[in-house]
Amino acid sequence: MIITPSGKPSPNRNTSFVTALLAATLLAASAAQARDVRLYVLAPQPPASLKTVETQGSDKPAYAHSYALSYDALEHNIRNEIKKTDIDLGGTVKCEGACPDVHWHVSVNTDFSFTQKNQPTVAAFGNAQDNGVDAALQTQFKLHTVISGRLWASPVTGDVEGKVDIPIDLVIGFQANSKLGLWPEVKSIAAYCESTKLQETVCVKLTLDDKNIDLSDAHGVAVAVGTALGGLIGASPLAAGIGDPLSGMIVGALISNEAAKIAEQKVQDEANKALNEAMKVASIRATWIAGTYVDAKVTQVNAVKSKLLDSKLPGVNKSLAELATAFGLSLDVQTKTSSSDVTVIVTPRFAANPAGGTLTGKLRMPKEACVYGEWQYGTIPLGLATVDANRDLAGKVGTPCAALMPGSDVKLAGYLGADPKILKVGADPLPNWKSSGSFKLTGNLSEVKHGNVLSSQVRQSGTKRHTATGYYECSFAITGLPGADIIELDFKGKAAERMAGFQQHPHRYLEVAAAGVAAALDDGWQKAGPPVIIGGDGKCGAGTVKVPHYEPESWLDRIGDLIDMDKCAVCGIKLDEGMLKASNMKPVLENPALKPLFEALAAGRALPAATQTPAAQTPAAQAPAAQAPAGRQAPASGLQQHGPALRPELQRPGLQKGVTTPK
């Protein structure tokens, strides 16, 4: 007998599956319900400022991975790939002699669908010294295959034909497992995989969960429901029990049955081959899914613990490991599971116990501090004013500093570490600070003078803006500190009044007196002294105004020409959170000389070149006279002062409406 094939398999069998599948799944991945794994290290992160040390490390995890599948995209792409295994083949079995030739045709069409669409799950394992997560996926898919066979011949007795359509449903379970280490190293962990008998970072297991036809392996052994399919797919082809439906299609209708039997076997062989090819593709794609979505694929170990402990701190060139004893260093490691997500939080903790550490420096109490006001567009600087609390210091120059303020008014604290609860994942809370050290002023009070700024320090631009006239200075010593820690100084009571303008935020320093190092770094990790300097000349900051054309320096120059905050009795200047603030902004905003400036900023315009105002005009809203604070100047000539005092140039006799003020 001679077999002559005709037809061919469907084209494009070698088209890249991975490229198409990646493009679609990445676009749709955000729609899946992700299982997130994150590792946070809540440690100081130079050069980030010590002012935010409590939150450092919380804004971005040291490692993060999301486990999620977008089944719609996967199903569509796997279906297209499996369709490439479909066949449409035919041929002829030549019959030598008086018997007719037998023609055969077979088509195999396979469809793919997920019958379960479970997302990967993650579960924490390990302890504070060595931990991570187990990731697992358990899902299921179905291969629906239709085999269509046809035999026909044309003997002298008349045409003979046989047809059969055989539907095959195979339901296959899909399990995948992987292990990811998080602490002390982020790494994929290989483990023994039963399916491959090898150490694998991801293990895949396929099982026959259901079928509607008998299956057997290459040795004729039946494949039952529940059988693991790993070794049976590809290397050892499976045979579907389609022989009975095919047999007898035309056997018995011909003088010789030999050609018909050969044709029937050919149909069965081609059908089994196509079915095995479809299962092989499904197995390959299942393994690809596991490797892509269940294995975190950490190809290079991230030694998180070593990086934390061995990195050199700027300014001291020592690591946490080298200063561990001085810091009293320990590591708090918490693993929290919330909404199926796993978060590992590592927090360095410091003891803040006294160990002979000291911090010495100079405390400079300003003569002036900036006054700020709350405006509809933010906090805006109004210029310098004399610090009332320090007026008495002019008569105390040369006297002992210890009498100027209680040492207990300077609150000292040593840093213990971040509080893991900041991540809001149910972590156990930990304290940030504890009392540490003792503060005292030493030596005698001295004074630094800059002269009369209104007459001798006129700026190059010609402005009469009030600048600082100096400060009063005392030495200080902080004792009983740890060998190494972040130290916070917070001025309270009389100390806060004397340090007005320098107490909006506590002062923080890194002090180290260990491992051959004696150093102090400021909150920017820069060398601070010796001596450490706190305070100095009063100055105005930019404020928080967010409008077009607002430039703090040009604003202060312009408003400094017009306003003297020392003479504004009704502005209600008070110390508020370390700043001098005008509690009553109405006289400022409605003063005819100042109003055009505020209106220009509010309208998004540049400041006017000059301000026009009548000399004697008072604010629109007449505020009752207020008692001037002790030491602050009251209005001259016995007149009630309802708004900020204008500079003398704006108050001189003869200034008329329409005449621009000098700049």
Side-chain angles (χ1 to χ4, degrees), residues 7-143:
K8 58 183 179 178
S10 57
N12 301 323
R13 187 172 294 195
N14 295 323
T15 301
S16 172
F17 168 79
V18 174
T19 301
L21 185 56
L22 269 176
T25 52
L26 289 176
L27 286 173
S30 59
Q33 183 181 359
R35 300 294 188 267
D36 293 329
V37 172
R38 297 186 181 93
L39 168 68
Y40 288 91
V41 179
L42 304 182
Q45 298 186 351
S49 172
L50 295 179
K51 292 179 181 179
T52 60
V53 68
E54 297 97 332
T55 62
Q56 288 172 21
S58 65
D59 57 335
K60 184 179 180 180
Y63 175 80
H65 184 74
S66 291
Y67 295 87
L69 275 73
S70 176
Y71 276 99
D72 291 343
L74 287 169
E75 188 174 75
H76 173 77
N77 285 279
I78 296 175
R79 180 181 294 120
N80 288 344
E81 187 71 7
I82 284 181
K83 292 299 290 182
K84 297 172 187 176
T85 69
D86 290 353
I87 62 170
D88 188 0
L89 300 173
T92 299
V93 180
K94 295 288 188 177
C95 186
E96 298 177 357
C99 55
D101 296 341
V102 177
H103 308 282
W104 61 271
H105 178 269
V106 60
S107 65
V108 178
N109 293 280
T110 301
D111 191 22
F112 174 92
S113 62
F114 283 104
T115 52
Q116 294 178 6
K117 296 185 177 182
N118 301 322
Q119 288 293 328
T121 60
V122 290
F125 72 80
N127 50 47
Q129 286 72 45
D130 191 351
N131 60 59
V133 293
D134 289 309
L137 173 65
Q138 185 163 346
T139 189
Q140 192 182 73
F141 60 85
K142 180 173 74 173
L143 294 174

Side-chain angles (χ1 to χ4, degrees), residues 287-310:
T287 302
W288 183 86
I289 289 172
T292 303
Y293 296 99
V294 183
D295 185 2
K297 286 188 176 299
V298 179
T299 57
Q300 185 173 356
V301 172
N302 182 355
V304 185
K305 183 177 181 179
S306 293
K307 290 179 182 178
L308 169 66
L309 297 181
D310 297 337

Side-chain angles (χ1 to χ4, degrees), residues 461-473:
S461 62
T463 180
K464 297 298 192 300
R465 172 179 163 189
H466 191 174
T467 55
T469 63
Y471 53 83
Y472 300 95
E473 182 177 280

Side-chain angles (χ1 to χ4, degrees), residues 150 166 172 174 210 222 240 256 279 300 358 365 402 530 565 586 603 614 633 643:
R150 177 177 175 241
I166 306 170
I172 299 174
F174 171 24
D210 201 4
S256 172
M279 293 182 67
Q300 185 173 356
T358 61
M365 295 160 278
M565 293 308 298
K586 190 173 182 180
Q633 283 186 324

Side-chain angles (χ1 to χ4, degrees), residues 61 141 174 195 216 228 266 293 318 380 383 386 390 401 553 596 619-620:
F141 60 85
F174 171 24
S195 301
S216 59
K266 186 61 178 177
Y293 296 99
K318 296 289 183 180
I380 191 165
T386 300
N390 291 337
C401 289
E553 279 301 311

Side-chain angles (χ1 to χ4, degrees), residues 103-106 148-152 161-164 246 249 267:
H103 308 282
W104 61 271
H105 178 269
V106 60
S148 296
R150 177 177 175 241
L151 301 180
W152 70 97
E161 182 182 35
K163 293 182 179 180
V164 66
L246 286 174
M249 281 196 295
V267 169

Side-chain angles (χ1 to χ4, degrees), residues 533-552:
I533 304 298
I534 303 178
D537 291 325
K539 57 184 178 179
C540 282
T544 60
V545 177
K546 301 295 182 183
V547 295
H549 299 292
Y550 174 67
E551 298 176 0

